[in-house]
Amino acid sequence: MNPVVKANLIFTALMLLGAIVLAQMGWYVAHQMWGVPLAWNVLQYCVSGAQDTIVGRDVIVYILNLAVIYTLARIAWRTAKQLILTSKWMRAFRNDTHHGHTSRLNAEFREWKTEIIVVKDAGFVALSIGMLRPRIVISTGLLAMFTEEEVRAILLHERYHCQRRDPLQAFMTALTKDSMGYIPLVRTLAHHYATWQELLADRYAMKQMGTEYYLGSVLMKLSSLARVRRDAATVPFASNEINYRILQVLQPDQTIHVPFSFGKPLMFTIALLCVVTGFTAGSCS
């Protein structure tokens, strides 16, 4: 399967799974608070059938309510945290902007129509940030650390993320994973999608450069760096998927095999659903 199609399918499946869970919870909350009639709802079905079980209706209601509160609270917390952090980061970046390098790079790559911000930082900073208007942020330390061609490879990698609006997708993925991490399949899909995000950006950079040499040189140097800025709505160049990325550079003509243990998470997810609905086995008789 085409890697781009695969990544899109994984992201779509993750978002669809999250939307289904939220819809079920929303209907359940509406029914509990305002008596909205429900033709069919998994959570309400569990509650209705619980009265015929040994565990009892009150225990099931408590567990389901706890799951709903946890999920909604995590969504609210992650969203608020992201808005605050993004605003804080952008203020810091603007205050520490190296105007000379910023003007030079924006003039050099003006056909990209993507803003590039160079910040005064001796460390390695390379990321795309901004859910609605993605920008590329790099540091003066990066410019000093790498050659002109290596810097171009890094910028091309980040440009790909901006073109695909990966910062927004990264936030949506992190939001779903943080709020619904108790669903095994969610964690698996989120990790796999994050890996392919980086591999596809690397492929784009190598194709545009016409060689894998410069990107490979960057990745080898980065493998020795211990700390990189990271945030949910940013897509940092130095990611945890660096081993697969190095392998792709070494084997540019081959499709990288990223282990995707779909079976076990799916079985655990189905088992979790069966355990919950198992309390209602006699409710339809």
Side-chain angles (χ1 to χ4, degrees), residues 25-236:
M25 288 185 173
W27 291 333
Y28 173 75
V29 171
H31 177 75
Q32 293 289 87
M33 296 184 65
W34 301 293
V36 175
L38 301 175
W40 187 86
N41 179 273
V42 172
L43 301 185
Q44 188 59 34
Y45 179 66
C46 294
V47 172
S48 299
Q51 57 189 3
D52 297 326
T53 69
I54 298 176
V55 176
R57 183 180 187 278
D58 291 341
V59 174
I60 299 301
V61 169
Y62 177 80
I63 294 174
L64 294 179
N65 287 344
L66 191 63
V68 171
I69 292 172
Y70 172 84
T71 302
L72 297 181
R74 290 288 293 181
I75 290 175
W77 177 82
R78 168 59 89 171
T79 302
K81 178 184 177 182
Q82 191 58 58
L83 292 173
I84 294 172
L85 283 178
T86 300
S87 176
K88 179 181 178 180
W89 275 41
M90 287 309 302
R91 284 198 307 270
F93 289 151
R94 295 297 184 188
N95 292 334
D96 294 334
T97 297
H98 189 293
H99 298 287
H101 287 314
T102 297
S103 298
R104 177 178 63 82
L105 289 177
N106 278 288
E108 182 178 351
F109 300 104
R110 58 180 174 274
E111 71 277 5
W112 289 6
K113 297 181 180 179
T114 301
E115 182 183 6
I116 301 173
I117 302 173
V118 181
V119 296
K120 301 172 186 176
D121 194 312
F124 179 91
V125 179
L127 52 85
S128 52
I129 185 172
M131 290 184 283
L132 301 180
R133 190 164 67 90
R135 308 169 184 84
I136 298 173
V137 178
I138 62 174
S139 63
T140 52
L142 180 151
L143 296 177
M145 191 183 305
F146 299 102
T147 67
E148 183 176 340
E149 292 300 315
E150 289 171 342
V151 170
R152 183 179 180 85
I154 294 172
L155 291 174
L156 283 166
H157 175 102
E158 297 303 335
R159 184 196 184 197
Y160 179 86
H161 286 312
C162 292
Q163 287 179 323
R164 283 179 51 89
R165 296 194 176 276
D166 281 347
L168 175 59
Q169 296 185 29
F171 170 69
M172 296 299 295
T173 300
L175 186 65
T176 305
K177 180 182 177 181
D178 286 353
S179 60
M180 304 175 193
Y182 48 81
I183 302 176
L185 188 57
V186 166
R187 296 196 301 270
T188 299
L189 290 173
H191 174 73
H192 204 68
Y193 177 69
T195 301
W196 276 107
Q197 268 188 318
E198 297 308 309
L199 289 174
L200 291 173
D202 283 350
R203 287 190 177 202
Y204 174 82
M206 291 188 292
K207 182 179 179 180
Q208 294 297 312
M209 294 292 294
T211 176
E212 62 275 5
Y213 174 77
Y214 299 109
L215 181 65
S217 176
V218 171
L219 292 175
M220 291 304 295
K221 291 178 182 179
L222 281 182
S223 63
S224 63
L225 293 180
R227 188 175 183 182
V228 179
R229 292 180 184 268
R230 180 176 295 273
D231 192 52
T234 67
V235 185

Side-chain angles (χ1 to χ4, degrees), residues 261-277:
S261 54
F262 179 80
K264 288 184 178 180
L266 179 60
M267 292 302 297
F268 278 124
T269 301
I270 293 175
L272 179 63
L273 180 62
C274 289
V275 168
V276 174
T277 58

